[in-house]
Short mmCIF file of all heavy atoms in Angstrom, two decimals:
data_model
loop_
_atom_site.label_atom_id
_atom_site.label_comp_id
_atom_site.label_asym_id
_atom_site.label_seq_id
_atom_site.Cartn_x
_atom_site.Cartn_y
_atom_site.Cartn_z
N ASP P 561 176.65 148.46 122.01
CA ASP P 561 176.55 147.32 121.00
C ASP P 561 177.37 146.10 121.48
O ASP P 561 177.33 145.03 120.82
CB ASP P 561 177.05 147.71 119.69
CG ASP P 561 176.20 148.74 119.07
OD1 ASP P 561 174.93 148.43 118.95
OD2 ASP P 561 176.52 149.86 118.64
N GLN P 562 178.17 146.20 122.45
CA GLN P 562 179.13 145.18 122.91
C GLN P 562 178.34 143.86 123.40
O GLN P 562 178.95 142.76 123.33
CB GLN P 562 180.09 145.65 124.00
CG GLN P 562 181.03 146.68 123.43
CD GLN P 562 181.97 147.25 124.48
OE1 GLN P 562 182.14 146.60 125.61
NE2 GLN P 562 182.72 148.27 124.26
N GLU P 563 177.15 144.08 123.97
CA GLU P 563 176.47 142.89 124.36
C GLU P 563 175.87 142.07 123.32
O GLU P 563 175.51 140.92 123.52
CB GLU P 563 175.36 143.35 125.37
CG GLU P 563 175.86 144.00 126.58
CD GLU P 563 174.70 144.35 127.63
OE1 GLU P 563 173.51 144.23 127.21
OE2 GLU P 563 174.94 144.84 128.68
N ARG P 564 175.69 142.71 122.09
CA ARG P 564 174.90 141.99 121.01
C ARG P 564 175.79 141.59 119.89
O ARG P 564 175.32 140.98 118.90
CB ARG P 564 173.83 142.95 120.43
CG ARG P 564 172.90 143.35 121.51
CD ARG P 564 171.74 144.03 120.72
NE ARG P 564 171.05 143.09 119.90
CZ ARG P 564 170.06 143.42 119.00
NH1 ARG P 564 169.86 144.77 118.82
NH2 ARG P 564 169.57 142.60 118.12
N ILE P 565 177.17 141.80 119.94
CA ILE P 565 177.92 141.44 118.77
C ILE P 565 178.12 140.04 118.58
O ILE P 565 178.52 139.59 117.52
CB ILE P 565 179.38 142.15 118.86
CG1 ILE P 565 180.02 141.64 120.30
CG2 ILE P 565 179.28 143.66 118.91
CD1 ILE P 565 181.46 142.19 120.34
N PHE P 566 177.85 139.16 119.59
CA PHE P 566 177.89 137.73 119.41
C PHE P 566 176.64 137.08 118.85
O PHE P 566 176.53 135.92 118.77
CB PHE P 566 178.29 137.13 120.80
CG PHE P 566 179.63 137.55 121.30
CD1 PHE P 566 179.81 138.46 122.27
CD2 PHE P 566 180.81 136.91 120.71
CE1 PHE P 566 181.09 138.80 122.73
CE2 PHE P 566 182.10 137.26 121.12
CZ PHE P 566 182.19 138.24 122.14
N GLU P 567 175.61 137.88 118.60
CA GLU P 567 174.42 137.42 117.93
C GLU P 567 174.70 137.22 116.44
O GLU P 567 175.49 137.87 115.79
CB GLU P 567 173.32 138.45 118.12
CG GLU P 567 172.80 138.69 119.62
CD GLU P 567 171.69 139.74 119.66
OE1 GLU P 567 171.28 140.12 118.61
OE2 GLU P 567 171.36 140.02 120.88
N ARG P 568 173.90 136.20 115.97
CA ARG P 568 174.13 135.91 114.54
C ARG P 568 173.69 137.04 113.62
O ARG P 568 172.62 137.67 113.87
CB ARG P 568 173.19 134.72 114.11
CG ARG P 568 173.67 133.45 114.73
CD ARG P 568 172.79 132.31 114.58
NE ARG P 568 171.51 132.50 115.30
CZ ARG P 568 170.48 131.69 115.25
NH1 ARG P 568 170.54 130.53 114.58
NH2 ARG P 568 169.34 131.95 115.97
N PHE P 569 174.51 137.41 112.64
CA PHE P 569 174.32 138.46 111.65
C PHE P 569 174.20 139.87 112.34
O PHE P 569 173.79 140.79 111.59
CB PHE P 569 173.00 138.11 110.82
CG PHE P 569 173.16 136.94 109.95
CD1 PHE P 569 172.37 135.74 110.17
CD2 PHE P 569 173.94 136.88 108.85
CE1 PHE P 569 172.54 134.63 109.51
CE2 PHE P 569 174.10 135.84 108.02
CZ PHE P 569 173.29 134.73 108.29
N TYR P 570 174.52 139.99 113.57
CA TYR P 570 174.42 141.40 114.15
C TYR P 570 175.63 142.21 113.66
O TYR P 570 176.74 141.72 113.74
CB TYR P 570 174.40 141.42 115.62
CG TYR P 570 174.24 142.66 116.29
CD1 TYR P 570 172.95 143.34 116.37
CD2 TYR P 570 175.33 143.47 116.74
CE1 TYR P 570 172.83 144.66 116.83
CE2 TYR P 570 175.08 144.74 117.21
CZ TYR P 570 173.97 145.29 117.36
OH TYR P 570 173.78 146.53 117.77
N ARG P 571 175.27 143.42 113.24
CA ARG P 571 176.40 144.28 112.63
C ARG P 571 176.27 145.69 113.35
O ARG P 571 175.09 146.19 113.46
CB ARG P 571 176.32 144.42 111.18
CG ARG P 571 176.45 143.01 110.41
CD ARG P 571 176.26 143.38 108.93
NE ARG P 571 176.11 142.02 108.21
CZ ARG P 571 177.13 141.41 107.67
NH1 ARG P 571 178.34 141.85 107.81
NH2 ARG P 571 176.97 140.25 107.06
N VAL P 572 177.33 146.16 113.86
CA VAL P 572 177.28 147.53 114.49
C VAL P 572 176.98 148.55 113.32
O VAL P 572 176.17 149.39 113.54
CB VAL P 572 178.64 147.87 115.16
CG1 VAL P 572 178.57 149.25 115.65
CG2 VAL P 572 178.81 146.85 116.27
N ASP P 573 177.73 148.45 112.27
CA ASP P 573 177.59 149.44 111.11
C ASP P 573 177.39 148.48 109.85
O ASP P 573 178.19 147.93 109.38
CB ASP P 573 178.88 150.22 110.86
CG ASP P 573 178.75 151.25 109.79
OD1 ASP P 573 177.68 151.14 109.02
OD2 ASP P 573 179.45 152.17 109.80
N THR P 574 175.99 148.31 109.55
CA THR P 574 175.66 147.45 108.48
C THR P 574 176.23 147.77 107.19
O THR P 574 176.80 146.89 106.43
CB THR P 574 174.08 147.37 108.34
OG1 THR P 574 173.47 147.12 109.59
CG2 THR P 574 173.68 146.45 107.38
N ALA P 575 176.23 148.94 106.78
CA ALA P 575 176.80 149.41 105.55
C ALA P 575 178.26 149.16 105.28
O ALA P 575 178.71 148.55 104.36
CB ALA P 575 176.57 150.90 105.26
N ARG P 576 178.98 149.43 106.35
CA ARG P 576 180.48 149.18 106.47
C ARG P 576 180.77 147.66 106.38
O ARG P 576 181.69 147.23 105.72
CB ARG P 576 181.07 149.91 107.67
CG ARG P 576 182.68 149.71 107.74
CD ARG P 576 183.08 150.29 109.06
NE ARG P 576 184.62 150.08 109.18
CZ ARG P 576 185.48 150.98 108.74
NH1 ARG P 576 185.11 152.11 108.19
NH2 ARG P 576 186.81 150.75 108.87
N SER P 577 180.05 147.05 107.22
CA SER P 577 180.25 145.49 107.33
C SER P 577 180.10 144.86 105.94
O SER P 577 180.89 143.97 105.58
CB SER P 577 179.41 144.83 108.40
OG SER P 577 179.59 145.44 109.60
N ARG P 578 178.94 145.21 105.25
CA ARG P 578 178.68 144.47 103.97
C ARG P 578 179.69 144.93 102.96
O ARG P 578 180.01 144.12 102.08
CB ARG P 578 177.27 144.82 103.61
CG ARG P 578 176.26 143.99 104.33
CD ARG P 578 174.89 144.28 104.10
NE ARG P 578 173.99 143.38 104.86
CZ ARG P 578 172.73 143.61 105.18
NH1 ARG P 578 172.17 144.80 104.83
NH2 ARG P 578 171.96 142.80 105.89
N SER P 579 180.13 146.17 102.97
CA SER P 579 181.15 146.61 102.01
C SER P 579 182.46 145.90 102.26
O SER P 579 183.20 145.73 101.24
CB SER P 579 181.31 148.09 102.17
OG SER P 579 181.95 148.48 103.37
N GLN P 580 182.74 145.41 103.45
CA GLN P 580 184.06 144.75 103.78
C GLN P 580 183.84 143.26 103.56
O GLN P 580 184.81 142.55 103.75
CB GLN P 580 184.43 145.10 105.21
CG GLN P 580 184.53 146.58 105.56
CD GLN P 580 185.89 147.02 105.86
OE1 GLN P 580 186.70 146.18 106.19
NE2 GLN P 580 186.11 148.28 105.89
N GLY P 581 182.69 142.86 103.34
CA GLY P 581 182.47 141.33 103.23
C GLY P 581 182.30 140.67 104.50
O GLY P 581 182.20 141.31 105.56
N GLY P 582 182.10 139.32 104.43
CA GLY P 582 181.83 138.59 105.67
C GLY P 582 180.43 138.08 105.79
O GLY P 582 179.52 138.64 105.13
N THR P 583 180.22 136.93 106.55
CA THR P 583 178.89 136.42 106.65
C THR P 583 178.13 136.98 107.83
O THR P 583 176.90 136.72 107.88
CB THR P 583 178.95 134.88 106.81
OG1 THR P 583 179.65 134.65 108.02
CG2 THR P 583 179.70 134.25 105.62
N GLY P 584 178.78 137.58 108.80
CA GLY P 584 178.13 138.15 110.07
C GLY P 584 177.94 136.95 111.09
O GLY P 584 177.16 137.10 112.05
N LEU P 585 178.57 135.83 110.73
CA LEU P 585 178.33 134.68 111.74
C LEU P 585 179.67 134.33 112.53
O LEU P 585 179.64 133.56 113.42
CB LEU P 585 177.91 133.41 111.04
CG LEU P 585 176.52 133.50 110.22
CD1 LEU P 585 176.41 132.23 109.35
CD2 LEU P 585 175.40 133.71 111.18
N GLY P 586 180.59 135.11 112.30
CA GLY P 586 182.00 134.76 112.79
C GLY P 586 182.01 134.75 114.42
O GLY P 586 182.29 133.81 114.93
N LEU P 587 181.56 135.92 114.99
CA LEU P 587 181.69 136.04 116.37
C LEU P 587 180.61 135.12 117.03
O LEU P 587 180.81 134.58 118.27
CB LEU P 587 181.28 137.44 116.88
CG LEU P 587 182.42 138.42 116.48
CD1 LEU P 587 182.12 139.88 116.99
CD2 LEU P 587 183.81 138.03 117.07
N SER P 588 179.51 134.86 116.44
CA SER P 588 178.50 133.84 116.99
C SER P 588 179.14 132.46 117.04
O SER P 588 178.93 131.71 118.02
CB SER P 588 177.22 133.88 116.17
OG SER P 588 176.27 133.00 116.77
N ILE P 589 179.89 132.15 116.00
CA ILE P 589 180.56 130.88 116.04
C ILE P 589 181.63 130.80 117.12
O ILE P 589 181.75 129.71 117.90
CB ILE P 589 181.20 130.60 114.70
CG1 ILE P 589 180.10 130.31 113.66
CG2 ILE P 589 182.14 129.45 114.64
CD1 ILE P 589 180.60 130.29 112.25
N VAL P 590 182.47 131.95 117.34
CA VAL P 590 183.40 132.02 118.42
C VAL P 590 182.69 131.79 119.82
O VAL P 590 183.26 130.96 120.63
CB VAL P 590 184.11 133.39 118.42
CG1 VAL P 590 184.93 133.47 119.58
CG2 VAL P 590 184.87 133.41 117.10
N LYS P 591 181.60 132.36 120.04
CA LYS P 591 180.87 132.17 121.22
C LYS P 591 180.47 130.82 121.61
O LYS P 591 180.66 130.22 122.61
CB LYS P 591 179.64 133.15 121.32
CG LYS P 591 178.83 133.07 122.56
CD LYS P 591 177.62 133.97 122.46
CE LYS P 591 176.81 133.73 123.68
NZ LYS P 591 175.55 134.58 123.81
N HIS P 592 179.99 130.09 120.51
CA HIS P 592 179.49 128.75 120.72
C HIS P 592 180.65 127.80 120.98
O HIS P 592 180.65 126.82 121.65
CB HIS P 592 178.66 128.33 119.54
CG HIS P 592 177.22 128.81 119.60
ND1 HIS P 592 176.96 130.13 119.11
CD2 HIS P 592 176.16 128.27 119.97
CE1 HIS P 592 175.65 130.29 119.27
NE2 HIS P 592 175.18 129.14 119.82
N ILE P 593 181.87 128.06 120.17
CA ILE P 593 183.06 127.15 120.34
C ILE P 593 183.58 127.24 121.75
O ILE P 593 183.96 126.35 122.41
CB ILE P 593 184.06 127.50 119.16
CG1 ILE P 593 183.57 127.01 117.87
CG2 ILE P 593 185.46 126.85 119.59
CD1 ILE P 593 184.47 127.40 116.72
N THR P 594 183.56 128.56 122.17
CA THR P 594 183.95 128.78 123.58
C THR P 594 183.15 128.08 124.61
O THR P 594 183.65 127.45 125.54
CB THR P 594 184.03 130.32 123.90
OG1 THR P 594 184.75 130.91 122.89
CG2 THR P 594 184.57 130.56 125.26
N ALA P 595 181.88 128.22 124.37
CA ALA P 595 180.92 127.47 125.37
C ALA P 595 181.04 125.93 125.32
O ALA P 595 181.07 125.24 126.35
CB ALA P 595 179.48 127.77 124.98
N LEU P 596 181.50 125.36 124.12
CA LEU P 596 181.62 123.91 124.06
C LEU P 596 182.89 123.46 124.84
O LEU P 596 182.93 122.41 125.28
CB LEU P 596 181.78 123.47 122.65
CG LEU P 596 180.51 123.33 121.78
CD1 LEU P 596 180.82 123.01 120.36
CD2 LEU P 596 179.62 122.23 122.40
N HIS P 597 183.80 124.44 125.04
CA HIS P 597 185.04 124.18 125.77
C HIS P 597 184.94 124.63 127.27
O HIS P 597 185.94 124.65 127.89
CB HIS P 597 186.28 124.90 125.03
CG HIS P 597 186.67 124.12 123.80
ND1 HIS P 597 186.09 124.41 122.68
CD2 HIS P 597 187.72 123.33 123.57
CE1 HIS P 597 186.70 123.69 121.64
NE2 HIS P 597 187.65 122.94 122.17
N HIS P 598 183.69 125.01 127.70
CA HIS P 598 183.40 125.45 128.92
C HIS P 598 184.13 126.61 129.44
O HIS P 598 184.63 126.77 130.62
CB HIS P 598 183.76 124.19 129.97
CG HIS P 598 182.94 123.01 129.56
ND1 HIS P 598 181.68 122.79 129.94
CD2 HIS P 598 183.31 121.91 128.99
CE1 HIS P 598 181.22 121.62 129.62
NE2 HIS P 598 182.31 121.00 128.88
#
Side-chain angles (χ1 to χ4, degrees):
D561 293 305
Q562 291 180 16
E563 294 181 358
R564 300 192 61 193
I565 59 175
F566 294 101
E567 295 178 7
R568 292 171 294 183
F569 293 111
Y570 183 80
R571 301 174 189 270
V572 177
D573 186 346
T574 305
R576 181 185 179 94
S577 299
R578 285 176 177 158
S579 67
Q580 306 244 347
T583 63
L585 299 173
L587 291 181
S588 181
I589 292 173
V590 172
K591 178 182 177 181
H592 283 82
I593 291 175
T594 304
L596 281 175
H597 286 80
H598 305 280

